[in-house]
Amino acid sequence: MCSPVYIQLKENLLAAIARGEYQPGDRLPSQRALCKQYGVSHMTVRRVINELLLQRVVYSVTGKGLYVAEPKHPAEVNSLTGFVNHMARLGYIPSTRVLEAKQIHAPFLVARALEIEVDAPIIYLRRLRIANDQPMAVAACYVPRQLCPGLLAHDFAKESLFDIFSTQYGLQPTSSISTIEARLADEEEAELLDLRLPAALLYKEQITFAQNRQPIELSRSVIRGDQYHL
Amino acid sequence: MCSPVYIQLKENLLAAIARGEYQPGDRLPSQRALCKQYGVSHMTVRRVINELLLQRVVYSVTGKGLYVAEPKHPAEVNSLTGFVNHMARLGYIPSTRVLEAKQIHAPFLVARALEIEVDAPIIYLRRLRIANDQPMAVAACYVPRQLCPGLLAHDFAKESLFDIFSTQYGLQPTSSISTIEARLADEEEAELLDLRLPAALLYKEQITFAQNRQPIELSRSVIRGDQYHL
DNA sequence: GAGTGGTCTAGACCACTGG
DNA sequence: CAGTGGTCTAGACCACTCC
C-alpha cells in the first residue's frame, strides 16, 4: 500500500498487457495521456517507460508512440518461469510424473546452497518432466520447509511449484544462478528418460532466489541431450 | 559531441572507475556533489546512477552513500568476454592451440546465423582451448570475411579473437544468444580433449552481435563435461 | 542535526512524425 | 501545425544513517 508510485504504475501497465488489454503491436496511450490518467508527472511516467523499454516489454518510435512488443525473447524468460511455462512457450504439451515427494533433513551441500542449517527439515521433490509424451528431464528440488509448511499437500503432477510459491506463500522468484555440466546417463536415468546407453545428459544445478535474495529452491536436473535454450 | 548529458556523465564515471580512480569498495562523491561537479540536476545524476545500479557497477546504501561494486558478477560477463578472460577470471592459465585457420565459403546454416549470403567468404578458425595444460574445449568460429579483411594474419594462439575485433576492426561484442546441448564425444574429440570413450560433452552454439545488432561471429564449441558457469 | 540515497513534481525545450 | 517520444531543470519531500 505504500510502494512508490512508479512501481504501482509499472505493475498496472504490465497487468493490462498481461490481461491482453493491450495486444502486441498495439499503441499505448501517449506519455502525456498516462500522466493525466494516473495523476503523475511526466518524469515519473518516463521512468516507468524506460524500465519497460529496457525489459523489451514495449518499444518506442520517436514522434509516433509507444507500442507493445512481441512476447518476450526466450533469452529473458529462460529458467525463472519453471518447466511448465517454458515448455508451453516452445509449443510442447508439458506433463509431470511425481517420482518422490517427502520431507527429509538437509544434507550439507543442500543446506549451504539454501543458506540453512544442516539437517534442517526440507521438502524433497523428484519429478519426471514430460513434453508431448516424451520424457525430457528428471528434476530434483529441495525447498526449506519453513518457507512453505504444508507444501506436500499439493498435487505436483498438476500444479507448478513456482505457481504454488507465488500464490500460496507469496514467494516470487526473481533471480537465479545455475551451473551446467555434461554427464553420462546412469541406468536409472536412462530408463526414466527412455534412452539407450551410453547417452549424454545435461546436468543443471540451479538456486532460485525470492525478492529479498533469500534462496527458496535448489534444483538439480538431468535433461536429455536435446537442445536447451538459454 | 552532441550526445545527451547523462550519457556523457555515465561514460565519465565508467572511465574513472576503469582507470582505477575509484577502486571497488570506494565511496563515490554524493549525488548532490556530482550535481555541482558536472553542473547538472539531481534527476539527471539519478538517471545515471540508476543505470549503473542496474548494471551492478555500483551499489548504494541508503543514508550512507554510493560505492563501487566488485568486478562484475560472472553471470553478467559470462561468454561475451571470450574464453581467455573467462578462464583467467576463474584462476586458470589459459592457452590456445590453433587447429585450423583458413578462408572458406559459408555453408547454409552458418550463412543464416551470420545473416550473409550462402557461399560468401568467411574466416574459419578451429582452436583447442587449454587451461592449466589441460585441454578444455574445441572451439570452431565462423566470421564474415567482409567484417575483418586480413584477420588471418594474426596469431590466434596469442591474440584473443575478441581483442582483435575491438582493437583492429572496431567491433565491440555487445550481446549474444546461445543454445546448449549434451553430446557424446566422437573419437577425434576424445583424442583432442584427452578423454576415454564414452564421454559426455557440452555442445554450445553461440552467435555474437556487435553494437548495431550485426552478427559478427558464430561459434560452435565442444566443452569437456567439467563444470561450466552461466 | 546535517548529510545521504530515493522519489516526485511542474514545468521547459528539442527532434521527430503526421496531416 | 499539433502531437509524439526524449531530455533536462530546480526545486521539494521522505526515510535513513551517523554524529
Side-chain angles (χ1 to χ4, degrees), chain B residues 4-6 39-44 47 62-64:
Chain B
V5 182
Y6 76 94
V40 298
S41 82
H42 189 184
M43 282 302 281
T44 307
R47 165 159 194 171
T62 308
K64 294 192 69 178

Side-chain angles (χ1 to χ4, degrees), chain A residues 48-191:
Chain A
V48 174
I49 298 298
N50 227 310
E51 294 186 7
L52 294 179
L53 286 173
L54 280 176
Q55 290 176 24
R56 300 273 220 278
V57 176
V58 303
Y59 63 93
S60 64
V61 183
T62 307
K64 293 193 70 178
L66 294 166
Y67 301 87
V68 180
E70 297 301 314
K72 279 193 176 183
H73 309 232
E76 295 287 326
V77 192
N78 66 30
S79 34
L80 278 182
T81 53
F83 173 82
V84 173
N85 294 331
H86 185 61
M87 281 301 142
R89 210 175 299 261
L90 293 176
Y92 296 109
I93 300 170
S95 60
T96 296
R97 203 176 95 206
V98 177
L99 303 173
E100 288 180 84
K102 59 185 178 187
Q103 182 174 324
I104 61 172
H105 296 287
F108 174 69
L109 286 176
V110 174
R112 194 177 57 180
L114 294 174
E115 295 171 20
I116 57 177
E117 305 276 318
V118 173
D119 287 336
I122 57 174
I123 307 299
Y124 170 66
L125 187 58
R126 191 152 174 263
R127 291 174 291 180
L128 181 64
R129 302 303 214 161
I130 302 161
N132 285 0
D133 296 323
Q134 195 173 34
M136 290 291 290
V138 179
C141 305
Y142 305 83
V143 186
R145 198 183 78 95
Q146 58 176 32
L147 288 182
C148 46
L151 181 67
L152 285 174
H154 292 85
D155 179 0
F156 297 107
K158 292 180 181 162
E159 295 179 83
S160 144
L161 184 58
F162 281 20
D163 279 354
I164 299 175
F165 275 162
S166 51
T167 60
Q168 303 290 310
Y169 302 102
L171 296 169
Q172 202 71 37
T174 54
S175 66
S176 68
I177 55 175
S178 15
T179 63
I180 288 188
E181 343 177 3
R183 265 196 191 177
L184 292 173
D186 65 25
E187 285 180 19
E188 188 206 9
E189 289 163 345
E191 194 187 323

Side-chain angles (χ1 to χ4, degrees), chain B residues 54-72:
Chain B
L54 279 177
Q55 290 175 25
R56 301 275 220 274
V57 176
V58 303
Y59 64 93
S60 64
V61 183
T62 308
K64 294 192 69 178
L66 294 166
Y67 301 87
V68 180
E70 298 301 313
K72 279 194 176 185

Side-chain angles (χ1 to χ4, degrees), chain A residues 4-6 32 39-44 47 63-64:
Chain A
V5 182
Y6 77 93
R32 268 77 169 183
V40 298
S41 82
H42 189 184
M43 281 302 280
T44 306
R47 165 157 193 173
K64 293 193 70 178

Side-chain angles (χ1 to χ4, degrees), chain B residues 128-226:
Chain B
L128 181 65
R129 301 304 214 161
I130 302 161
N132 285 359
D133 297 323
Q134 194 172 35
M136 290 291 290
V138 180
C141 305
Y142 305 84
V143 186
R145 199 184 76 96
Q146 58 175 34
L147 288 183
C148 46
L151 180 67
L152 284 174
H154 292 85
D155 180 0
F156 298 107
K158 292 179 183 163
E159 294 179 83
S160 144
L161 184 57
F162 281 21
D163 279 355
I164 299 175
F165 275 162
S166 51
T167 59
Q168 302 291 310
Y169 301 101
L171 297 169
Q172 202 70 36
T174 54
S175 67
S176 69
I177 55 175
S178 16
T179 62
I180 288 188
E181 344 178 4
R183 265 195 191 178
L184 292 173
D186 65 24
E187 284 180 19
E188 189 205 8
E189 290 163 345
E191 194 188 324
L192 284 170
L193 294 174
D194 199 15
L195 295 169
R196 269 183 311 182
L197 292 174
L201 293 176
L202 284 175
Y203 173 73
K204 182 171 96 161
E205 201 163 308
Q206 174 168 323
I207 306 172
T208 305
F209 302 89
Q211 303 89 326
N212 42 8
R213 300 205 174 175
Q214 183 178 33
I216 56 179
E217 184 215 35
L218 166 67
S219 86
R220 292 173 173 167
S221 314
V222 289
I223 306 164
R224 280 183 56 151
D226 306 79

